[in-house]
């Protein structure tokens, strides 16, 4: 390996070698243990719909736009640009996707949704990279601007169409969905027996092979593609070096501005794709405010995943699952999650005691006791808490995972061309 490549690799790699990676058998064992715990909670609480085929299918549909926003944030922040504007880029994606989808069909709508989000990303890149404006300020401005722009455009587009208004579009044509015959029916039959673990596993598999949108398949494939591009190509190495140490990258001949522009534009395009998914697949209509803060939740999923595609996907799945609980027996399902959270906190207590972090263990024990008490004294949770469950989950996950996070070293750090010379 050449000296320059070795140096670039050192730039992109954290000092200390990072954490030891988990092997595939260990990861599968952790997933199986988590599923067994959920199955146990289902049997105790009687909330049989928690892992049903419909629940899992709905959770996947809700997780996709969150995951796409998180994937967009990952691209930008790996290049050193904080992208708080994901929400605004998603909003642009919903409007452009719905407008083009109404005119020329759903797949053209998907393309325009990506372009709409990419325009927002390009604007963010110009403001932050070229003009050096604070990344947070720029992102917030884009979020505000997107709301105003889409409302203005709707006034002379959707408002003039039958079934449309300044706040929503007419109905849109749907993208085809696929179901694997035989396997789907078998999984649904197994799930309805409500057996321990087996029925829960069948519900998850059934949700992945029943009524799956083709755009969902595309979105899922983008996760390994992102990992391969950013961690297995020279292009990805240079891009990540811009987020770790742009000055060192510049001394090695990397055009830092170019890579930041590319990353932030792709970031906006992915967020725009998430917005187009909401309008075209999830609801088949554009509605003002339909993103519902999913851009911010996607950012939280990316942080939870420690700026890695796999961890981000896990976070998006968690938030999507929590969001879907309110759609099918919401109060009962969220009530069952109180028991699950209480048990998880008991595990946290023992882990913290093992790590000799006694204060954290005490706090976790108190919260766990309160959750057990809440669960035992009630049959359902208030409807207001059901609606707030995804956002409460976001806060709890970030609070519990904050200690293990490592963001790119130069993420959000101002950089001016020529500093490395």
């Amino acid at each position: 390996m050449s000296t320059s490549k070795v140096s670039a690799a050192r730039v992109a790699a954290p000092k200390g070698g990072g954490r030891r990676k988990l092997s595939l058998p260990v990861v599968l064992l952790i997933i199986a243990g988590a599923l067994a715990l959920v199955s146990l909670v289902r049997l105790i609480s009687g909330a049989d719909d928690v892992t049903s085929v419909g629940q899992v299918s709905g959770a996947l549909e809700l997780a996709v736009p969150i995951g796409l926003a998180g994937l967009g944030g990952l691209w930008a922040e790996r290049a050193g640009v904080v992208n708080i504007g994901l929400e605004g880029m998603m909003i642009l994606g919903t409007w452009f996707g719905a407008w083009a989808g109404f005119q020329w069909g759903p797949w053209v709508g998907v393309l325009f949704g990506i372009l709409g989000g990419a325009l927002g990303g390009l604007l963010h890149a110009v403001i932050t990279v070229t003009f050096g404006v604070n990344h947070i300020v720029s992102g917030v401005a884009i979020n505000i601007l997107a709301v105003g722009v889409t409302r203005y455009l709707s006034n002379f587009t959707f408002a003039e169409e039958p079934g449309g208004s300044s706040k929503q579009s007419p109905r849109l044509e749907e993208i085809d969905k696929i179901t694997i015959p035989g396997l789907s029916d078998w999984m649904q039959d197994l799930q309805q027996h409500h057996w321990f673990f087996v029925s829960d596993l069948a519900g998850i598999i059934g949700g992945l092979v029943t009524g799956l949108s083709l755009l969902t398949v595309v979105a899922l494939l983008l996760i390994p593609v992102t990992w391969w591009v950013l961690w297995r190509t020279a292009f990805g190495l240079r891009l990540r070096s811009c987020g770790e140490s742009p000055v060192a990258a510049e001394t090695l001949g990397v055009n830092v501005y170019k890579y930041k522009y590319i990353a932030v534009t792709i970031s906006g395009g992915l967020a725009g794709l998430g917005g187009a998914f909401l309008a075209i697949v999830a609801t088949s209509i554009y509605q003002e405010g339909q993103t519902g803060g999913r851009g911010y939740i996607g950012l939280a999923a990316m942080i939870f995943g420690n700026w890695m595609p796999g961890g981000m996907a896990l976070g998006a799945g968690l938030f999507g699952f929590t969001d879907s609980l309110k759609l099918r027996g919401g109060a009962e399902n969220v009530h069952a999650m109180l028991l699950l959270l209480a048990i998880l906190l008991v595990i946290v207590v023992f882990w913290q005691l093992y790590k000799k972090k006694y204060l954290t263990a005490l706090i976790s024990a108190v919260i766990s006791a309160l959750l057990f008490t809440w669960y035992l004294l009630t049959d359902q949770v208030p409807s207001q808490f059901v609606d707030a469950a995804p956002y409460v989950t976001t806060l709890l996950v970030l609070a519990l995972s904050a200690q293990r996070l490592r963001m790119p070293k130069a993420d959000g750090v101002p950089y001016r061309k020529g500093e490395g010379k």
Side-chain angles (χ1 to χ4, degrees):
M1 182 181 291
S2 66
T3 303
S4 61
K5 290 183 178 179
V6 172
S7 300
R10 289 175 178 171
V11 168
K15 293 180 179 180
R19 291 179 178 269
R20 183 172 60 88
K21 293 183 179 179
L22 297 176
S23 62
L24 180 59
V26 173
V27 171
L28 293 177
L29 185 61
I30 292 173
I31 293 174
L35 183 58
L37 181 59
V38 172
S39 182
L40 178 63
V41 168
R42 176 182 61 79
L43 290 175
I44 294 174
S45 65
D48 293 328
D49 204 40
V50 167
T51 55
S52 67
V53 171
Q55 182 76 55
V56 174
S57 180
L60 180 61
E61 189 172 278
L62 290 168
V64 166
I66 295 173
L68 287 170
L71 208 58
L74 188 148
W75 272 86
E77 301 209 7
R78 278 293 176 181
V81 179
V82 176
N83 194 355
I84 296 294
L86 289 169
E87 178 76 6
M89 296 166 198
M90 284 192 78
I91 292 172
L92 293 173
T94 59
W95 190 91
F96 280 97
W99 174 74
F102 176 71
Q103 301 289 334
W104 302 296
W107 286 108
V108 177
V110 169
L111 178 61
F112 272 75
I114 294 172
L115 292 175
L119 285 175
L122 182 60
L123 177 61
H124 187 50
V126 171
I127 295 172
T128 57
V129 178
T130 301
F131 293 102
V133 175
N134 181 277
H135 299 187
I136 305 299
V137 173
S138 173
V140 171
I142 288 174
N143 291 339
I144 297 172
L145 180 65
V147 174
V149 167
T150 52
R151 169 70 73 87
Y152 171 74
L153 293 174
S154 295
N155 285 329
F156 59 87
T157 51
F158 297 143
E160 297 179 357
E161 299 289 343
S165 69
S166 62
K167 294 187 177 181
Q168 72 175 42
S169 71
R171 298 294 298 181
L172 305 172
E173 183 182 347
E174 295 184 358
I175 289 178
D176 292 337
K177 296 184 177 181
I178 56 175
T179 296
I180 300 179
L183 180 60
S184 174
D185 295 333
W186 183 34
M187 291 298 105
Q188 291 192 55
D189 290 340
L190 281 177
Q191 183 266 316
Q192 289 172 1
H193 287 293
H194 307 308
W195 294 330
F196 174 75
F197 192 83
V198 175
S199 292
D200 301 279
L201 181 60
I204 292 174
I205 296 174
L208 297 176
V209 298
T210 305
L212 193 65
S213 170
L214 292 176
L215 189 55
T216 300
V217 177
V218 172
L220 293 175
L221 290 175
L222 286 173
I223 296 170
V225 167
T226 292
W227 173 83
W228 182 80
V229 171
L230 292 183
W231 274 269
R232 287 294 182 269
T233 67
F235 168 82
L237 175 61
R238 296 187 187 101
L239 188 147
R240 288 185 295 116
S241 71
C242 296
E244 295 291 344
S245 179
V247 174
E250 185 182 11
T251 62
L252 298 173
V254 175
N255 188 333
V256 177
Y257 275 21
K258 182 182 78 172
Y259 281 93
K260 285 180 180 287
Y261 262 88
I262 292 172
V264 180
T265 303
I266 292 175
S267 173
L270 289 168
L273 177 59
F277 184 95
L278 276 174
I280 298 172
V281 176
T283 59
S284 297
I285 192 172
Y286 162 79
Q287 292 178 310
E288 186 177 282
Q290 72 185 132
T291 55
R294 287 179 175 84
Y296 300 112
I297 298 177
L299 197 63
M302 178 207 67
I303 296 171
F304 166 78
N306 207 11
W307 288 265
M308 295 291 291
M312 183 282 306
L314 181 62
L318 174 63
F319 298 136
F321 177 74
T322 307
D323 201 8
S324 71
L325 290 175
K326 64 184 180 183
L327 301 180
R328 299 169 60 93
E332 181 183 6
N333 289 339
V334 175
H335 185 253
M337 289 303 100
L338 293 178
L339 177 60
L340 176 62
L341 185 57
I343 295 174
L344 287 174
L345 284 173
V346 170
I347 297 173
V348 171
V349 169
F350 285 105
W351 176 252
Q352 295 299 332
L353 289 173
Y354 171 76
K355 302 287 287 186
K356 296 182 179 180
K357 297 182 178 179
Y358 302 112
L359 179 59
T360 305
L362 176 62
I363 295 173
S364 299
V366 171
I367 297 175
S368 178
L370 291 174
L371 289 174
F372 273 121
T373 303
W374 187 2
Y375 175 79
L376 293 172
L377 295 180
T378 60
D379 294 324
Q380 291 185 342
V381 296
S383 59
Q384 295 86 347
F385 186 80
V386 174
D387 293 334
Y391 308 103
V392 174
T393 302
T394 303
L395 293 174
L396 288 175
V397 166
L398 288 179
L400 292 174
S401 63
Q403 294 180 349
R404 66 174 183 83
L405 301 179
R406 182 205 170 270
M407 64 190 297
K409 291 182 181 178
D411 192 15
V413 177
Y415 164 79
R416 306 310 301 164
K417 189 174 182 179
E419 290 182 6
K421 296 180 180 179

